[in-house]
Amino acid sequence: MDSNVNVLVVSAHAADFVWRAGGAIAKYVKHGANVSLVVLSYGVRGESNDLWNVPGQTVDNVKAVRRSELEQAAQHLGVKDIELWDFEDYHMQITEERMDRLTKKIREVKPHHIISHGPKDAFNPDHEMVSDYVFRASVLSTSNGVQLEGYPTAKQARLFGFEPHQSEISDFKPDVILDITEVYAQKEAAMNCFKAQQHLIDYYGAKAKLRGNHARRCSGNNEYKYAEAFSRFFPYVGGELV
Amino acid sequence: MDSNVNVLVVSAHAADFVWRAGGAIAKYVKHGANVSLVVLSYGVRGESNDLWNVPGQTVDNVKAVRRSELEQAAQHLGVKDIELWDFEDYHMQITEERMDRLTKKIREVKPHHIISHGPKDAFNPDHEMVSDYVFRASVLSTSNGVQLEGYPTAKQARLFGFEPHQSEISDFKPDVILDITEVYAQKEAAMNCFKAQQHLIDYYGAKAKLRGNHARRCSGNNEYKYAEAFSRFFPYVGGELV
Amino acid sequence: MDSNVNVLVVSAHAADFVWRAGGAIAKYVKHGANVSLVVLSYGVRGESNDLWNVPGQTVDNVKAVRRSELEQAAQHLGVKDIELWDFEDYHMQITEERMDRLTKKIREVKPHHIISHGPKDAFNPDHEMVSDYVFRASVLSTSNGVQLEGYPTAKQARLFGFEPHQSEISDFKPDVILDITEVYAQKEAAMNCFKAQQHLIDYYGAKAKLRGNHARRCSGNNEYKYAEAFSRFFPYVGGELV
Amino acid sequence: MDSNVNVLVVSAHAADFVWRAGGAIAKYVKHGANVSLVVLSYGVRGESNDLWNVPGQTVDNVKAVRRSELEQAAQHLGVKDIELWDFEDYHMQITEERMDRLTKKIREVKPHHIISHGPKDAFNPDHEMVSDYVFRASVLSTSNGVQLEGYPTAKQARLFGFEPHQSEISDFKPDVILDITEVYAQKEAAMNCFKAQQHLIDYYGAKAKLRGNHARRCSGNNEYKYAEAFSRFFPYVGGELV
Amino acid sequence: MDSNVNVLVVSAHAADFVWRAGGAIAKYVKHGANVSLVVLSYGVRGESNDLWNVPGQTVDNVKAVRRSELEQAAQHLGVKDIELWDFEDYHMQITEERMDRLTKKIREVKPHHIISHGPKDAFNPDHEMVSDYVFRASVLSTSNGVQLEGYPTAKQARLFGFEPHQSEISDFKPDVILDITEVYAQKEAAMNCFKAQQHLIDYYGAKAKLRGNHARRCSGNNEYKYAEAFSRFFPYVGGELV
Amino acid sequence: MDSNVNVLVVSAHAADFVWRAGGAIAKYVKHGANVSLVVLSYGVRGESNDLWNVPGQTVDNVKAVRRSELEQAAQHLGVKDIELWDFEDYHMQITEERMDRLTKKIREVKPHHIISHGPKDAFNPDHEMVSDYVFRASVLSTSNGVQLEGYPTAKQARLFGFEPHQSEISDFKPDVILDITEVYAQKEAAMNCFKAQQHLIDYYGAKAKLRGNHARRCSGNNEYKYAEAFSRFFPYVGGELV
């Protein structure tokens, strides 16, 4: 694995990066890549159902809980460069200022890989919105004519999409199945930081095994135990058949 | 590039492997891979239109011409392990014996990559048939229960599909765009062996430049001048995001 | 649940009906439906990899083992009307005689529901072939002009497709997610009859939980724990919005 | 038919609910369901072409005519709970306030079924916009974190999409074909309230017969004379194969 | 309309050409085109349900009835060059001899347009088979290497697909909507020759009106009353934007 | 070719109309059609990369250069009715006022054909936005209820979409392949006005030859040398099979 890469992960809500790319993050960190994480919102309105069952719950408290959970999870994955942009969720709005902000972030990180939500998520409009947001900002980031003082243009990154929760009805096709066996314990530890969402811990644990099964079947390599699936926004381009 | 790989190319007719994967073949050969080529038919009925304009033309003569051309082309690409199976074309028929033959060939070559026709070709039923043939034989090649004396099972190969002549109406999506800049001169020389088909030499020359343009745009790497596109039968599985 | 229905299950290989529809079968049997099962082949060549690792293995022995396993599994599911047609697999061939045989079976059973393989299975050509076979026989079964002495025509059945092993790359979309919570213990017992395939027992156990999660999310009904997914060949037709 | 259900119908313009779901509405009302209808606009700009041919026509008069027609039509269908939100059409805009309004309506009605426009309508951007609006509001309606004083969260409803006017080029696939034979006379009476649009009365009369033909063919049930088709936003989830 | 064209219509069963292209045939004949019709089978097994309800019915009698009906219908449409190839239907088999026969027919007719079944028909495997048959023969007909004594090669024809009975679930998209207003009375008379199939006469009458409505909407031309829809196998190529 | 038609071309940026429809424009002008061109933006931010490499570059200077280039190009194509609307690009915003402006333009031009960007462009959000903008304005332009003083409604135009730069990953299917052989020299001259973008001149030159090859293959007409491909928003409607 090439250790000399920059990776930018953009997560719509507090926990998306853990369920959907925790293994990829841990693996890239482990092999020396520079991984930057942007969490756009705490998911207060749309992804904190369990917390709102507590009587007297407040927005500030939900944010504090989600922040604490996600920071612990990030620690398990080894990612240190984290930004929390605290957008309101459900439904997220993208202004011009926010577009510029992400464009600058991309120009700053100069990512080889950007990992975020894929274009369709049948039950989650925020995820679709973020997918479009990341794609558009990546287009702006490479364009000479988009002049942002102090932020010279970046080279085109590879864009990867998370697997959505209900893959088939979200038209998800796995383009890349990434072996995460060597870091799966870290992903498990990170998932366990979201105690109130035991059903998701179970779900994504089972998912990692299923994708591991697919990885073995497609490759004939029986050492793959756990895997994560991603879509690709554009074709793979390079010097080998992969 | 990993030099330690086995590559099997299966070409329906005499020239398909040149137009559609000449660059990939030359590149793999150059970097030390073991490349085996199976040409299923001479394309006497379906892909020798120009030769049949010669008065008094015969099947044997067409075969001799096509054989000579393809052998010269293969030489330019550097591939030495060539088999000509001489099936009748338009429309090719697959018998059980032919299925066994290809299954054995796969078990013998033990390819990491198989490159052949993709599942759909809007104007060419033979190409579709060969795609299915190669896929089915690859399934048989990995199965313990398919006992073929002297041919132990192979590990699952990666299957890649050629770009068909009219890509969009054949539902072709490029999954892999392979840079062939360093070997393009060889591909050009190989294409020039098919003198009677100047329109195809022009066509695939233009195509290589177009795919080169796409390669630069998708990667930001301006050293890519010429490229070939392939589809993938299954997702990429491995240890990195590619 | 309507107990007064006839269900026909057609399984390409010995274990397909268990992994993919064991819950549906057990549930229909439990509620009093007449469930008939046709197993077309023992899966000797294509789906008995583990057995062929045993030195000195023979076709007859593989058949005996698969037969014993599938009969035990069927017993756990409660299905008694079983036929084993012993076709050779990988790759299955459909003759006119076999087409007539299945047409007669459909006319005999007069199924309201036929459950079999869906039209696409990216890694398994037999499954695709059986899907087509079942569909064609169902068409013949309803046609007055197809005269089969002693077998009067049947009414059009609803056709349901199993979820294939790798759903997304087989273009599978779940049209029906069937709650199997009340019979899941039976499915688990049936799966455990295939001891040599522990990886599949794990896989389909995890799958049942994932589909249970989807069932809860799509319906808001938290009593759904385990589920199976099916595609539909035709639209639902009836008197309610379901 | 289960009489104990709540149904919410959301119609972009004054007559959409009649052409596209008049049968479904009449049937649910007849069997005792609670049917609520929201008509978002009068269709003054986009769906009142005939009225604007009258010299001296005014917006207020068009609204009055459309209102009168739709109220008569609703009476024929038996639906009493009607709200007219009087949005401007062509092209409708959804504000945050409107999003909240529909979210509250869903929480109030607590629908088992929501029937509205499907995601694509090749000639009608308003219909696509409403489809998205209804979907997004339904997501908000189930989320604990979306706190709307006095409106506790609802359970996830089933979402059904109307058949668009030009089905194939709008990528419409019928997932449910609903028999409306027993209430077809009511639908006809309701359609006849839109006198100025005789071409649509003819069109949707013919359509009901065509869908009736499909209903017979797919089911073998020859009592189906008239039908309406709907798409489903998510898979069917439940205890039976339907 | 260009009167100087050759049109070949290939109909799987006795009545397909009437329901699906009766208007196109009548129109081309009327404007002076040379229209040739090949009817591959009488539809004895698959499309003569009503006749088989007559006690004591025989194959020969069914054929005689279907022949008489189709000849009367053809007369109404004005087509005189008819061939009845009397293949067995349900399920039709294509041999090499039959492939040659159709290839010769195409080379003989030298059609500018071939009209036959489109690639998918969800309820009718014969129609799909014929679509493939016609396409393959058209490929052979243009190839110099396919030497058929006395039948020199033809130029590539435009291929058009009939609208299948259930369009959406057969993935049919109308590429061409042909105005048949001026000859609709002839189509109606032709349809009325199939007295026993009143439900189809009703169905295709309603269909012609629906397509007429679409024709008006897509073109703004209100003189279109009746229309037929066709798919195209390949893009339109020519000197204008149409 | 019918000379009596009105054609409206809407180009997102300064050069789009040249690369993608230069041949179509020149051809329609040559044959006497009334061709109107609207260029929405100069492409300052997104499509002037090369100019921004010049030290001290300014927005005003970029606009002046692009304006000069596009006017020269238009002259080569023979189009005189040009409007430059000077919207900011990357990312273009459509206001209600802009929607009215284009609606009025359509009502003024009364186009038979509108040529603009197709619905998807994988790398260019502006192109997608313009596609939607043109479609929506065309809907408004035909509606009686959209009252715009001095601009009576237009008849429904045919809408054609440009071929996007990377066709397959933009889901582009060529519906119409237009022969531009007789005006290709003009297109070449027009392309050469964009000197700084030699890579695009090469690219679209190669593309025109490839589409010419497809034109020959699909039609059997060997006089087609150069072509442009377009998608269609709706089916072709008319009196012939084309």
Side-chain angles (χ1 to χ4, degrees):
Chain A
M1 186 180 219
D2 188 0
S3 66
N4 203 14
V5 293
N6 304 325
V7 178
L8 175 63
V9 180
V10 183
S11 180
H13 309 101
D16 290 328
F17 71 96
V18 180
W19 312 121
R20 296 182 168 85
I25 292 169
K27 193 165 184 179
Y28 273 90
V29 170
K30 179 176 178 177
H31 287 269
N34 302 306
V35 179
S36 300
L37 171 65
V38 172
V39 178
L40 298 174
S41 82
Y42 291 104
V44 170
R45 283 162 55 93
E47 307 210 338
S48 305
N49 271 327
D50 301 304
L51 295 173
W52 287 103
N53 288 332
V54 178
Q57 191 56 281
T58 65
V59 166
D60 283 349
N61 191 51
V62 169
K63 284 190 183 177
V65 172
R66 303 312 313 261
R67 176 176 197 128
S68 160
E69 289 169 347
L70 86 85
E71 286 177 345
Q72 287 173 49
Q75 206 166 2
H76 283 294
L77 303 177
V79 60
K80 282 165 195 160
D81 175 10
I82 308 175
E83 294 184 10
L84 307 171
W85 289 8
D86 197 12
F87 294 0
E88 188 170 68
D89 71 324
Y90 276 67
H91 298 301
M92 228 176 257
Q93 310 289 343
I94 300 306
T95 60
E96 262 185 68
E97 193 199 338
R98 288 179 173 184
M99 192 60 80
D100 278 359
R101 186 174 180 187
L102 184 56
T103 305
K104 287 177 182 169
K105 183 74 188 172
I106 295 172
R107 291 187 174 184
E108 189 185 297
V109 171
K110 301 197 174 300
H112 298 83
H113 305 328
I114 300 178
I115 314 176
S116 188
H117 300 270
K120 192 161 155 57
D121 196 323
F123 270 114
N124 201 313
D126 274 8
H127 291 178
E128 298 189 354
M129 202 282 317
V130 170
S131 183
D132 190 56
Y133 175 39
V134 170
F135 167 63
R136 285 174 177 255
S138 84
V139 168
L140 295 183
S141 74
T142 67
S143 183
N144 271 352
V146 180
Q147 308 260 310
L148 295 165
E149 185 74 27
Y151 296 87
T153 59
K155 229 170 86 168
Q156 177 67 46
R158 288 180 181 161
L159 271 71
F160 296 92
F162 298 144
E163 173 169 351
H165 191 76
Q166 299 208 26
S167 66
E168 299 96 346
I169 59 173
S170 301
D171 296 339
F172 176 78
K173 299 277 178 194
D175 289 314
V176 175
I177 299 184
L178 181 75
D179 170 41
I180 60 167
T181 308
E182 62 171 320
V183 294
Y184 184 66
Q186 288 174 259
K187 176 167 185 174
E188 209 167 29
M191 294 198 294
N192 281 322
C193 298
F194 300 89
K195 286 278 181 284
Q197 294 174 286
Q198 187 61 46
H199 61 291
L200 288 177
I201 298 174
D202 293 347
Y203 183 83
Y204 284 99
K207 196 70 155 179
K209 280 182 212 159
L210 262 72
R211 291 301 182 195
N213 176 295
H214 295 169
R216 290 193 299 278
R217 178 64 190 86
C218 290
S219 69
N221 183 333
N222 286 319
E223 289 175 16
Y224 298 151
K225 302 296 177 210
Y226 300 96
E228 283 172 351
F230 299 89
S231 59
R232 222 169 19 214
F233 282 52
F234 312 120
Y236 166 81
V237 176
E240 297 191 61
L241 291 173
V242 293
Chain B
M1 186 181 219
D2 187 1
S3 66
N4 202 15
V5 293
N6 303 324
V7 178
L8 176 63
V9 180
V10 183
S11 180
H13 309 100
D16 291 329
F17 71 96
V18 180
W19 311 123
R20 296 182 169 86
I25 292 169
K27 192 163 186 181
Y28 273 90
V29 170
K30 178 175 179 176
H31 287 270
N34 303 305
V35 179
S36 300
L37 172 64
V38 173
V39 178
L40 296 174
S41 82
Y42 290 103
V44 169
R45 283 163 55 93
E47 308 211 336
S48 305
N49 270 329
D50 302 305
L51 295 174
W52 286 103
N53 287 333
V54 178
Q57 191 56 280
T58 65
V59 166
D60 283 349
N61 191 52
V62 170
K63 283 190 184 177
V65 173
R66 303 315 310 264
R67 176 178 197 126
S68 160
E69 289 169 348
L70 87 85
E71 286 176 345
Q72 287 173 50
Q75 207 165 0
H76 283 294
L77 303 177
V79 63
K80 282 166 195 160
D81 175 11
I82 308 176
E83 294 184 10
L84 308 170
W85 288 9
D86 197 13
F87 293 178
E88 189 170 66
D89 71 323
Y90 275 68
H91 297 302
M92 227 176 258
Q93 309 288 344
I94 300 306
T95 59
E96 261 185 69
E97 194 198 337
R98 289 177 173 185
M99 191 61 80
D100 278 359
R101 187 174 181 186
L102 184 56
T103 306
K104 285 177 181 168
K105 183 72 189 173
I106 295 172
R107 289 186 174 185
E108 191 184 296
V109 171
K110 299 196 176 305
H112 298 82
H113 305 329
I114 300 178
I115 313 177
S116 188
H117 300 270
K120 191 160 157 55
D121 196 323
F123 270 113
N124 203 311
D126 274 9
H127 291 178
E128 298 189 355
M129 203 279 319
V130 170
S131 184
D132 189 56
Y133 176 38
V134 170
F135 167 61
R136 284 174 178 256
S138 84
V139 168
L140 294 183
S141 74
T142 66
S143 183
N144 272 351
V146 180
Q147 308 260 312
L148 294 165
E149 187 71 28
Y151 295 87
T153 57
K155 231 169 87 169
Q156 177 67 47
R158 286 180 182 161
L159 271 72
F160 296 92
F162 296 147
E163 174 169 350
H165 190 77
Q166 299 207 28
S167 66
E168 298 97 345
I169 60 173
S170 300
D171 297 339
F172 175 78
K173 299 277 177 194
D175 288 315
V176 175
I177 299 184
L178 182 74
D179 169 41
I180 59 165
T181 308
E182 63 171 318
V183 294
Y184 185 67
Q186 286 174 262
K187 177 167 184 174
E188 211 169 27
M191 294 198 295
N192 281 323
C193 297
F194 299 89
K195 286 276 181 286
Q197 295 174 286
Q198 187 62 45
H199 61 290
L200 288 177
I201 298 174
D202 294 346
Y203 183 84
Y204 285 99
K207 196 72 155 179
K209 280 182 214 158
L210 262 72
R211 291 303 182 194
N213 175 295
H214 297 168
R216 288 193 299 280
R217 178 64 190 87
C218 290
S219 69
N221 183 334
N222 286 320
E223 289 175 16
Y224 298 151
K225 302 296 179 211
Y226 301 96
E228 283 172 351
F230 298 89
S231 61
R232 227 175 10 221
F233 282 52
F234 311 119
Y236 166 81
V237 176
E240 299 192 59
L241 290 173
V242 294
Chain C
M1 185 183 221
D2 187 0
S3 66
N4 202 15
V5 294
N6 303 325
V7 179
L8 175 63
V9 181
V10 182
S11 180
H13 308 102
D16 291 330
F17 70 97
V18 180
W19 312 123
R20 297 183 167 85
I25 293 169
K27 192 163 185 182
Y28 273 89
V29 170
K30 179 175 178 177
H31 287 270
N34 302 305
V35 179
S36 301
L37 172 65
V38 173
V39 178
L40 297 174
S41 82
Y42 291 105
V44 170
R45 284 162 54 93
E47 308 210 339
S48 304
N49 271 328
D50 302 306
L51 294 173
W52 286 104
N53 288 332
V54 178
Q57 189 59 278
T58 65
V59 166
D60 283 350
N61 191 53
V62 169
K63 284 188 184 179
V65 173
R66 303 313 310 263
R67 176 176 198 128
S68 161
E69 289 168 348
L70 86 85
E71 287 176 344
Q72 287 172 50
Q75 207 166 0
H76 283 294
L77 303 177
V79 63
K80 280 165 197 162
D81 175 10
I82 308 176
E83 293 184 11
L84 308 171
W85 288 9
D86 196 13
F87 293 0
E88 189 171 65
D89 71 324
Y90 276 66
H91 298 299
M92 228 176 257
Q93 310 289 342
I94 300 307
T95 60
E96 262 186 67
E97 194 199 339
R98 288 178 173 185
M99 192 60 80
D100 278 359
R101 186 174 181 187
L102 184 57
T103 305
K104 287 176 181 169
K105 183 72 189 175
I106 294 172
R107 289 186 175 185
E108 192 184 294
V109 171
K110 299 195 175 303
H112 299 82
H113 306 328
I114 300 179
I115 314 177
S116 189
H117 300 269
K120 191 159 157 58
D121 196 323
F123 270 112
N124 202 313
D126 274 10
H127 291 177
E128 298 188 356
M129 203 281 318
V130 170
S131 183
D132 189 57
Y133 175 39
V134 170
F135 168 62
R136 284 173 178 258
S138 85
V139 168
L140 295 182
S141 74
T142 66
S143 182
N144 272 351
V146 179
Q147 307 259 312
L148 295 165
E149 187 72 28
Y151 296 88
T153 58
K155 230 170 88 169
Q156 177 67 47
R158 287 180 182 162
L159 271 70
F160 296 92
F162 296 146
E163 173 169 350
H165 190 77
Q166 299 208 25
S167 67
E168 298 98 346
I169 60 173
S170 300
D171 297 339
F172 176 78
K173 299 275 177 192
D175 288 314
V176 175
I177 298 183
L178 182 73
D179 169 39
I180 59 167
T181 308
E182 63 170 318
V183 294
Y184 185 66
Q186 287 174 260
K187 177 166 184 174
E188 209 167 30
M191 294 198 296
N192 282 322
C193 297
F194 299 90
K195 286 277 183 286
Q197 295 174 285
Q198 188 61 45
H199 61 291
L200 289 176
I201 300 174
D202 293 346
Y203 183 84
Y204 285 98
K207 196 73 155 178
K209 279 182 214 159
L210 261 71
R211 291 301 181 195
N213 175 295
H214 297 168
R216 290 192 299 279
R217 177 65 190 84
C218 290
S219 69
N221 183 333
N222 287 317
E223 288 175 17
Y224 298 152
K225 303 295 180 213
Y226 301 96
E228 283 172 352
F230 298 90
S231 60
R232 223 170 20 215
F233 282 53
F234 312 119
Y236 167 81
V237 176
E240 299 192 59
L241 290 173
V242 294
Chain D
M1 185 180 220
D2 187 1
S3 64
N4 203 15
V5 294
N6 303 325
V7 179
L8 175 64
V9 181
V10 182
S11 181
H13 310 102
D16 292 328
F17 72 96
V18 180
W19 311 122
R20 297 182 168 85
I25 292 169
K27 193 163 185 182
Y28 273 89
V29 170
K30 180 176 178 176
H31 287 270
N34 303 305
V35 180
S36 301
L37 171 65
V38 173
V39 178
L40 297 174
S41 82
Y42 289 104
V44 170
R45 284 164 53 93
E47 308 211 338
S48 303
N49 271 327
D50 301 305
L51 294 173
W52 286 103
N53 289 332
V54 178
Q57 191 57 280
T58 65
V59 167
D60 283 350
N61 191 51
V62 170
K63 284 189 184 179
V65 173
R66 304 310 314 260
R67 175 176 198 128
S68 161
E69 289 169 349
L70 88 85
E71 286 176 346
Q72 287 173 50
Q75 205 165 4
H76 284 293
L77 303 177
V79 61
K80 281 165 195 160
D81 175 11
I82 307 176
E83 294 184 9
L84 308 170
W85 289 8
D86 196 13
F87 294 178
E88 189 170 68
D89 70 323
Y90 275 66
H91 299 298
M92 226 176 258
Q93 310 288 343
I94 300 306
T95 59
E96 259 183 72
E97 193 198 340
R98 288 177 173 186
M99 191 60 78
D100 278 359
R101 186 174 181 187
L102 184 56
T103 305
K104 286 177 181 169
K105 183 72 187 174
I106 295 172
R107 289 187 173 184
E108 189 184 297
V109 172
K110 298 194 176 304
H112 298 83
H113 305 329
I114 300 177
I115 314 178
S116 189
H117 300 270
K120 191 160 155 58
D121 196 323
F123 270 114
N124 202 312
D126 274 10
H127 292 177
E128 298 189 355
M129 201 280 319
V130 170
S131 184
D132 189 58
Y133 175 38
V134 170
F135 167 63
R136 285 174 177 256
S138 85
V139 168
L140 295 182
S141 75
T142 67
S143 183
N144 272 351
V146 180
Q147 308 260 313
L148 296 164
E149 187 74 28
Y151 295 88
T153 60
K155 231 170 87 169
Q156 176 67 47
R158 287 180 182 163
L159 270 72
F160 296 93
F162 297 146
E163 174 168 350
H165 191 78
Q166 299 209 26
S167 65
E168 300 97 346
I169 59 171
S170 301
D171 298 337
F172 177 77
K173 299 278 176 193
D175 289 314
V176 174
I177 299 183
L178 181 75
D179 169 42
I180 59 165
T181 308
E182 63 170 320
V183 294
Y184 184 68
Q186 287 174 260
K187 176 167 185 175
E188 210 168 28
M191 294 198 296
N192 282 322
C193 298
F194 299 90
K195 286 276 181 285
Q197 296 174 284
Q198 188 61 44
H199 61 290
L200 288 177
I201 298 174
D202 293 346
Y203 183 84
Y204 285 98
K207 195 74 157 176
K209 280 183 213 158
L210 262 73
R211 291 300 181 194
N213 176 295
H214 296 169
R216 291 192 299 279
R217 177 65 191 84
C218 290
S219 70
N221 184 334
N222 286 319
E223 290 176 15
Y224 298 152
K225 302 297 179 211
Y226 301 97
E228 284 171 351
F230 299 90
S231 60
R232 223 171 18 216
F233 282 53
F234 312 119
Y236 166 81
V237 176
E240 297 192 61
L241 290 172
V242 294
Chain E
M1 185 182 220
D2 187 0
S3 66
N4 202 16
V5 294
N6 303 325
V7 179
L8 175 63
V9 181
V10 182
S11 180
H13 308 101
D16 291 329
F17 72 96
V18 180
W19 312 122
R20 297 184 168 84
I25 292 169
K27 192 163 186 181
Y28 272 89
V29 171
K30 180 176 178 176
H31 288 269
N34 302 305
V35 180
S36 301
L37 171 64
V38 174
V39 178
L40 297 175
S41 83
Y42 291 103
V44 170
R45 286 162 52 92
E47 309 211 337
S48 304
N49 270 329
D50 301 305
L51 295 173
W52 286 104
N53 288 332
V54 178
Q57 190 57 281
T58 65
V59 166
D60 282 350
N61 192 52
V62 170
K63 285 189 183 177
V65 173
R66 303 313 312 263
R67 175 176 199 126
S68 161
E69 290 168 347
L70 86 86
E71 286 176 344
Q72 288 173 50
Q75 208 166 0
H76 284 293
L77 303 177
V79 62
K80 281 165 195 160
D81 175 10
I82 308 176
E83 294 184 10
L84 307 171
W85 289 9
D86 196 12
F87 294 177
E88 189 170 65
D89 71 324
Y90 276 68
H91 298 297
M92 228 176 257
Q93 310 289 342
I94 300 306
T95 60
E96 261 183 69
E97 195 198 338
R98 289 177 173 185
M99 191 61 78
D100 278 359
R101 186 173 182 187
L102 184 56
T103 305
K104 286 177 181 168
K105 183 73 187 171
I106 294 172
R107 290 186 174 183
E108 191 185 296
V109 171
K110 298 195 178 303
H112 298 83
H113 305 329
I114 301 178
I115 314 177
S116 188
H117 300 270
K120 191 160 156 57
D121 196 323
F123 270 113
N124 201 312
D126 274 9
H127 291 177
E128 298 189 355
M129 202 279 319
V130 170
S131 183
D132 189 57
Y133 176 39
V134 170
F135 167 63
R136 285 173 177 257
S138 84
V139 168
L140 295 182
S141 74
T142 67
S143 182
N144 272 351
V146 179
Q147 306 261 314
L148 295 165
E149 187 71 30
Y151 296 87
T153 59
K155 228 170 89 168
Q156 177 67 46
R158 287 180 183 162
L159 271 72
F160 296 92
F162 297 145
E163 174 169 350
H165 190 77
Q166 299 207 27
S167 67
E168 298 97 344
I169 59 172
S170 300
D171 297 339
F172 176 78
K173 300 276 176 193
D175 289 315
V176 176
I177 298 184
L178 183 74
D179 169 40
I180 60 167
T181 308
E182 63 171 320
V183 294
Y184 185 67
Q186 286 174 260
K187 177 167 184 174
E188 209 167 28
M191 293 197 296
N192 281 322
C193 298
F194 300 89
K195 285 277 183 287
Q197 296 174 285
Q198 188 62 46
H199 61 289
L200 288 178
I201 299 173
D202 294 346
Y203 183 85
Y204 285 99
K207 196 73 154 178
K209 280 182 213 158
L210 262 70
R211 291 300 181 195
N213 175 295
H214 296 169
R216 290 192 299 279
R217 178 64 190 86
C218 290
S219 69
N221 184 332
N222 286 319
E223 288 174 17
Y224 297 152
K225 302 296 180 212
Y226 300 96
E228 282 171 353
F230 299 90
S231 60
R232 228 179 5 225
F233 282 53
F234 312 119
Y236 166 80
V237 176
E240 298 193 60
L241 290 174
V242 295
Chain F
M1 185 180 219
D2 188 359
S3 66
N4 203 16
V5 294
N6 304 324
V7 179
L8 174 63
V9 181
V10 183
S11 181
H13 308 102
D16 290 329
F17 71 96
V18 181
W19 312 122
R20 297 185 168 83
I25 292 169
K27 193 164 185 181
Y28 272 90
V29 170
K30 179 176 178 176
H31 288 268
N34 303 306
V35 179
S36 301
L37 172 64
V38 173
V39 178
L40 298 174
S41 81
Y42 290 103
V44 170
R45 285 163 51 93
E47 308 209 339
S48 304
N49 271 327
D50 301 307
L51 294 174
W52 286 104
N53 288 331
V54 177
Q57 191 57 281
T58 64
V59 166
D60 282 349
N61 191 52
V62 169
K63 284 189 184 179
V65 173
R66 304 312 312 262
R67 177 176 198 128
S68 162
E69 290 168 347
L70 87 86
E71 285 176 345
Q72 288 172 50
Q75 207 166 2
H76 284 292
L77 302 177
V79 61
K80 281 164 196 162
D81 175 10
I82 307 175
E83 293 184 9
L84 307 171
W85 289 8
D86 196 13
F87 293 179
E88 187 170 68
D89 70 324
Y90 276 65
H91 298 300
M92 228 176 258
Q93 310 288 342
I94 300 307
T95 59
E96 260 185 70
E97 193 198 340
R98 289 178 173 184
M99 191 61 79
D100 277 1
R101 185 174 181 188
L102 184 56
T103 304
K104 287 177 181 169
K105 182 73 188 173
I106 294 172
R107 290 186 174 185
E108 190 185 296
V109 172
K110 298 195 177 303
H112 299 82
H113 306 328
I114 299 178
I115 314 176
S116 189
H117 300 270
K120 192 161 153 58
D121 197 322
F123 269 113
N124 202 313
D126 274 9
H127 292 178
E128 299 189 355
M129 202 280 318
V130 170
S131 184
D132 189 57
Y133 176 38
V134 170
F135 167 63
R136 284 174 177 256
S138 84
V139 168
L140 295 183
S141 74
T142 67
S143 184
N144 271 351
V146 179
Q147 307 260 312
L148 296 165
E149 187 74 27
Y151 296 87
T153 58
K155 231 171 86 168
Q156 177 68 46
R158 287 180 182 161
L159 271 70
F160 296 92
F162 298 145
E163 174 169 349
H165 190 78
Q166 300 207 26
S167 67
E168 299 97 345
I169 59 172
S170 301
D171 296 339
F172 176 77
K173 300 277 177 193
D175 288 315
V176 175
I177 298 184
L178 182 75
D179 169 40
I180 59 166
T181 308
E182 62 171 320
V183 294
Y184 185 67
Q186 287 174 259
K187 176 167 184 174
E188 210 168 26
M191 292 198 296
N192 282 323
C193 298
F194 299 90
K195 285 277 182 286
Q197 294 174 287
Q198 189 60 46
H199 61 290
L200 287 177
I201 299 174
D202 294 345
Y203 183 85
Y204 284 99
K207 196 74 158 177
K209 280 182 213 159
L210 262 71
R211 291 301 181 195
N213 176 295
H214 296 169
R216 292 193 297 279
R217 178 64 191 86
C218 290
S219 69
N221 183 333
N222 286 319
E223 289 174 16
Y224 297 152
K225 303 296 180 213
Y226 300 96
E228 283 171 351
F230 299 90
S231 60
R232 223 169 20 215
F233 282 53
F234 312 119
Y236 166 82
V237 176
E240 298 191 61
L241 290 173
V242 295

